């Protein structure tokens, strides 16, 4: 077992650095069918990054499937939606505000499967201080004049906490937001260089396991509630047009994996630890939308969030969720239409609800007939 959080983060930094270095080479591959007829999809994640695709791989769900991932490393300098449009990758996942921006820019991709939601005990993000800090959920003004460490801007890591603090009377102009790599934020808190850090699973569990060093002040659920955290799986339109049935099978696997993870949080967290290299007994995982079905409410949340504390691109206000996302490729959907809300998606489905891909205005796929 890895001893000490500093050593733990140092190991992760090396792994992440290596992934970033190999990304340009790996992205030069091409998708298509193997000799055995299996359709490959180039997935913008490394094998050490947590995702439903990676969990499905660990569970063996791709072993006898007609579709299989090829991990090509994370999108770094270039947004994933742009790489999808350039046919450099086939599938990606990320915060939905990036998808909105990509559509404004005219990139050709479609959101095809749901991902994370938020629960009080399985949050999308958690916010930690050094043990003994006066920054608490009931004393948020204490963050004024201090520093928040986060991994990225114009993403969930900065937008959600900015809105939460703003709603609770904190003057954001008096708060310093410092961008650091994920694995460097906790050590910075220990050294006193950062007063509050923003963390995702599996690191949430790692920090919770060290109450002598870190205290969870609040979570993302406190801001955006149960609909927060949506980071849909998106596919290039070119790949969807070429492999619609493989896309349907992939969404089915994502749905099956999401349902398994929700029903087996401990085992899911252990896979998270195994995948990312953190101690398996300390890690946590996300909660996922059942059946991978997409809904309007959890996507619309991103327009509202960016409008309040972000910088929306001109033209984004003309878009709506159904201009970007569809359930057309989901075997558990009764139509291509988005659900109104996840409140309509509370039953775990183990039987397919349709006979094939639905027609959708988002992707022109020849030969499809309207399903009755």
């Amino acid at each position: 077992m890895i001893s000490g959080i500093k050593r733990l983060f140092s190991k992760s930094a090396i792994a992440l650095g290596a992934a970033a270095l190999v990304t340009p080479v790996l992205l030069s591959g091409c998708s298509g069918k193997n000799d055995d007829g299996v359709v490959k999809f180039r997935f913008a994640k490394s094998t050490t990054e947590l995702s439903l695709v990676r969990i499905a791989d660990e569970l063996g769900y791709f072993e006898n499937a007609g579709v299989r991932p090829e991990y090509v490393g994370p999108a770094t300098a270039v947004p994933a939606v742009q790489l999808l449009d350039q046919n450099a990758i086939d599938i990606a996942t990320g915060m939905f505000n990036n998808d909105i921006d990509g559509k404004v820019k005219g990139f050709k991709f479609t959101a095809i499967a749901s991902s994370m939601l938020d629960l009080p005990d399985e949050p999308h993000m958690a916010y930690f201080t050094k043990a003994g800090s006066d920054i608490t959920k009931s004393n948020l003004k204490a963050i004024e004049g201090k520093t928040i460490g986060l991994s990225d801007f114009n993403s969930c890591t900065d937008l959600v906490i900015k809105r939460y603090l703003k709603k609770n009377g904190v003057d954001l102009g008096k708060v310093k937001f410092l961008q650091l790599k994920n694995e460097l934020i906790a050590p910075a808190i220990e050294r006193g260089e950062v007063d509050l850090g923003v963390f995702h699973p599996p690191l949430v569990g790692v920090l919770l396991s060290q109450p002598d060093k870190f205290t969870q002040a609040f979570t993302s659920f406190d801001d955006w509630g149960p609909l927060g955290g949506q980071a849909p799986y998106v596919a290039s339109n070119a790949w969807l047009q070429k492999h619609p049935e493989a896309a349907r099978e992939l969404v089915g696997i994502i749905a099956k994996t999401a349902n398994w993870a929700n029903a087996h949080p401990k085992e899911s967290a252990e896979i998270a630890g195994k995948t990312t290299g953190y101690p398996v007994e300390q890690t946590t995982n996300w909660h996922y939308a059942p059946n991978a079905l997409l809904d309007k409410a959890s996507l619309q949340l991103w327009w509202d969030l960016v409008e309040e504390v972000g910088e929306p691109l001109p033209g984004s206000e003309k878009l709506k969720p159904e201009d970007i996302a569809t359930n057309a490729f989901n075997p558990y959907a009764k139509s291509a239409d988005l659900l109104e809300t996840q409140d309509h998606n509370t039953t775990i489905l183990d039987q397919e609800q349709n006979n094939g891909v639905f027609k959708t205005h988002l992707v022109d796929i020849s030969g499809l007939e309207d399903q009755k």
Side-chain angles (χ1 to χ4, degrees), residues 22-45:
V22 301
T23 297
V25 177
L26 291 171
L27 288 178
S28 64
C30 59
S31 61
K33 287 188 176 182
N34 292 337
D35 293 338
D36 57 4
V38 173
V39 175
K40 297 181 296 181
F41 64 91
R42 294 165 297 176
F43 184 45
K45 292 282 187 183

Side-chain angles (χ1 to χ4, degrees), residues 5 120-123 126-128 199 201-219 281-284:
I5 194 162
D121 56 346
E122 292 181 273
Y127 307 97
F128 285 83
F199 298 91
L203 280 176
V204 170
V206 176
L207 270 65
L208 284 172
S209 71
Q210 302 181 68
D212 57 320
K213 295 181 179 180
F214 306 101
T215 298
Q216 180 176 288
F218 49 95
T219 74
E281 69 275 12
Q282 296 177 4
T283 55
T284 52

Side-chain angles (χ1 to χ4, degrees), residues 26 37 57 71 80 83 105 164 166 202-203 206 221 257 310 320-321 327 349:
L26 291 171
D57 224 351
Y71 300 94
L83 294 174
K105 295 175 182 178
Y164 183 65
K166 183 179 178 181
L203 280 176
V206 176
F221 185 88
T257 307
K320 51 189 183 298
N327 284 315
L349 302 173

Side-chain angles (χ1 to χ4, degrees), residues 82-337:
Q82 183 174 338
L83 294 174
L84 289 168
D85 183 70
Q86 295 171 346
N87 197 33
I89 59 175
D90 304 307
I91 304 290
T93 177
M95 294 292 99
F96 192 64
N97 62 308
N98 294 319
D99 300 341
I100 298 171
D101 289 351
K103 279 296 180 181
V104 171
K105 295 175 182 178
F107 298 151
K108 294 179 174 59
F109 66 91
T110 300
I112 59 172
S114 193
S115 186
M116 295 90 73
L117 295 176
D118 218 323
L119 287 179
D121 56 346
E122 292 181 273
H124 179 78
M125 291 175 291
Y127 307 97
F128 285 83
T129 65
K130 192 172 185 177
S133 170
D134 61 345
I135 301 169
T136 64
K137 185 176 177 179
S138 59
N139 186 30
L140 293 173
K141 292 283 284 185
I143 195 66
E144 292 183 355
K146 296 180 181 176
T147 301
I148 294 176
L150 44 80
S151 61
D152 203 2
F153 288 104
N154 192 36
S155 71
C156 59
T157 53
D158 74 313
L159 295 175
V160 178
I161 192 167
K162 285 178 178 176
R163 184 171 70 174
Y164 183 65
L165 295 177
K166 183 179 178 181
K167 285 192 303 186
N168 285 276
V170 174
D171 184 346
L172 296 181
K174 296 180 179 179
V175 180
K176 180 180 179 181
F177 293 89
L178 178 64
Q179 185 175 2
L180 295 169
K181 289 184 177 181
N182 282 315
E183 64 273 12
L184 300 181
I185 298 175
I189 292 175
E190 285 193 271
R191 293 192 300 268
E193 298 167 358
V194 165
D195 301 287
L196 182 79
V198 183
F199 298 91
H200 289 91
L203 280 176
V204 170
V206 176
L207 270 65
L208 284 172
S209 71
Q210 302 181 68
D212 57 320
K213 295 181 179 180
F214 306 101
T215 298
Q216 180 176 288
F218 49 95
T219 74
S220 53
F221 185 88
D222 294 311
D223 177 77
W224 58 14
L227 293 183
Q230 188 62 268
Y233 284 81
V234 290
S236 75
N237 281 5
W239 189 81
L240 292 173
Q241 288 171 327
K242 189 174 181 181
H243 305 293
E245 290 302 326
R248 182 177 183 272
E249 185 174 12
L250 171 60
V251 174
I253 290 172
I254 290 173
K256 180 180 177 181
T257 307
N259 293 343
W260 179 89
N262 290 345
H264 301 85
K266 183 177 182 297
E267 294 89 341
S268 173
E270 288 174 353
I271 290 178
K274 176 183 176 183
T275 299
T276 57
Y278 296 115
V280 296
E281 69 275 12
Q282 296 177 4
T283 55
T284 52
N285 195 8
W286 283 293
H287 179 77
Y288 301 95
N291 313 308
L293 289 166
L294 290 155
D295 71 290
K296 296 178 183 178
S298 67
L299 300 179
Q300 179 61 45
L301 176 150
W302 283 98
W303 273 271
D304 303 336
L305 184 61
V306 175
E307 179 67 28
E308 290 182 50
V309 291
E311 297 180 2
L313 293 182
S316 62
E317 74 282 356
K318 298 177 182 178
L319 294 172
K320 51 189 183 298
E322 50 266 47
D323 294 324
I324 304 174
T326 179
N327 284 315
F329 299 90
N330 194 317
Y332 302 105
K334 293 183 178 179
S335 76
D337 297 338

